Amino acid sequence: MEQASMPHGDMPDGVCPVVAIIDDDADLRRTVADLLAGNGFTPLPLPDGASFLALGPRPGVDLALIDLRLRGENGLTLAIRIRETMGIPIVMLTGRGDEMDKIIGLETGADDYMMKPFNPRELIARLRAVLRRAGHPGVLPPDRSSSAMLAFGRLRLDQTRRELLDAAGAEIALTNAEYRLLEYFLRHPGRIIPRTELLTELGNDLSQYMDRTIDVLILRLRRKIEAVPSKPVHLQTRRGQGYIFVTGAAA
């Protein structure tokens, strides 16, 4: 994983969110800890769930970054316990081939997931987005003055920060897969895109599962971008062919 250092523009001076890095890979813990420390976070590297739970019911942590495949234990079980007892935002780290686990993880309380190996800038952006949504005082509203935007209807996709915005500029939360799907549609408007092409775009790890994986993502995305999801204006189905994205109509 490449190292990256970015300005701390999202962080007020003197306020650093504490992020627990729960991963049994010592090298990855060290790399992620260095990355976070260089970008306005206070990292807390931990080798397993027991080490995190030993911190007590109030661990002094603002976000938990959890490896899905912790050695000897289940990262999903740990995530559920943290969410139910502590209410801390959770981001899961997953490997290729874990797509169904990612879906389960999001359904059981994770706020987002990142696939390993990941882009350092994307990880930082997504951690900040999760903390913003959680109302953490150490993350300022984003400066979008230099962001690259893709607009459709009344909505805008901020490609720089990987966020979807409504007409008032408020963020509409997207998972990583939903963001990638929407961005791909917006880069290919007005073209019928077959399901197999979308599977390829999202990663070969998805292709081992049924095409219904794409259908589920489409349904979730429509709930977030369409005024009436059952009568989509933007993300339309072409039966037997695939999907087409129409940008011009009002959301």
Side-chain angles (χ1 to χ4, degrees):
M1 184 185 71
E2 63 173 312
Q3 284 285 1
S5 181
M6 287 155 283
H8 301 175
D10 283 351
M11 307 291 185
D13 292 339
V15 181
C16 295
V18 178
V19 176
I21 306 163
I22 308 168
D23 198 302
D24 52 33
D25 184 331
D27 289 337
L28 187 139
R29 284 200 310 274
R30 189 178 307 111
T31 300
V32 174
D34 289 345
L35 173 68
L36 297 189
N39 287 279
F41 297 88
T42 299
L44 178 61
L46 300 167
D48 50 39
S51 299
F52 180 87
L53 296 175
L55 298 174
R58 296 187 178 183
V61 170
D62 299 301
L63 184 147
L65 182 63
I66 305 173
D67 181 14
L68 178 69
R69 300 292 187 180
L70 287 171
R71 189 176 297 118
E73 61 183 309
N74 189 323
L76 294 179
T77 301
L78 176 62
I80 293 171
R81 184 167 179 180
I82 290 173
R83 174 52 53 86
E84 289 180 345
T85 61
M86 303 175 188
I88 298 169
I90 297 165
V91 175
M92 304 295 295
L93 290 178
T94 73
R96 290 193 176 276
D98 295 334
E99 181 63 23
M100 294 309 294
D101 287 332
K102 295 171 199 169
I103 294 172
I104 294 170
L106 292 170
E107 292 293 342
T108 53
D111 295 273
D112 208 343
Y113 70 83
M114 289 288 297
M115 182 184 292
K116 297 186 289 188
F118 48 80
N119 180 290
R121 290 180 178 274
E122 181 180 348
L123 176 63
I124 294 299
R126 298 195 77 78
L127 292 180
R128 287 175 176 165
V130 169
L131 286 165
R132 275 199 301 273
R133 291 196 293 267
H136 191 278
V139 185
L140 296 174
D143 175 8
R144 303 187 188 276
S145 59
S146 60
S147 291
M149 296 284 188
L150 291 172
F152 62 101
R154 299 178 180 223
L155 306 181
R156 294 173 296 153
L157 192 70
D158 184 335
Q159 292 179 283
T160 304
R161 293 181 174 273
R162 299 173 64 86
E163 295 169 358
L164 178 63
L165 309 175
D166 65 15
E171 182 186 354
I172 300 170
L174 295 178
T175 67
N176 189 37
E178 290 166 352
Y179 172 86
R180 291 173 63 189
L181 195 64
L182 179 57
E183 184 184 46
Y184 192 73
F185 277 124
L186 285 170
R187 287 193 281 112
H188 302 86
R191 176 167 76 83
I192 297 175
I193 303 176
R195 189 178 283 108
T196 52
E197 182 176 333
L198 295 174
L199 283 167
T200 300
E201 170 62 21
L202 288 177
N204 291 332
D205 60 312
L206 283 167
S207 63
Q208 63 184 295
Y209 300 104
M210 297 182 297
D211 285 354
R212 290 291 299 173
T213 302
I214 287 293
D215 296 334
V216 169
L217 286 173
I218 293 288
L219 288 173
R220 291 182 179 180
L221 195 51
R222 280 176 174 159
R223 292 190 190 114
K224 297 179 180 183
I225 68 172
E226 302 285 358
V228 183
S230 61
K231 298 179 180 179
V233 172
H234 296 297
L235 183 44
Q236 302 177 14
T237 302
R238 292 293 184 266
R239 190 173 299 278
Q241 301 179 72
Y243 300 96
I244 186 170
F245 201 91
V246 179
T247 60

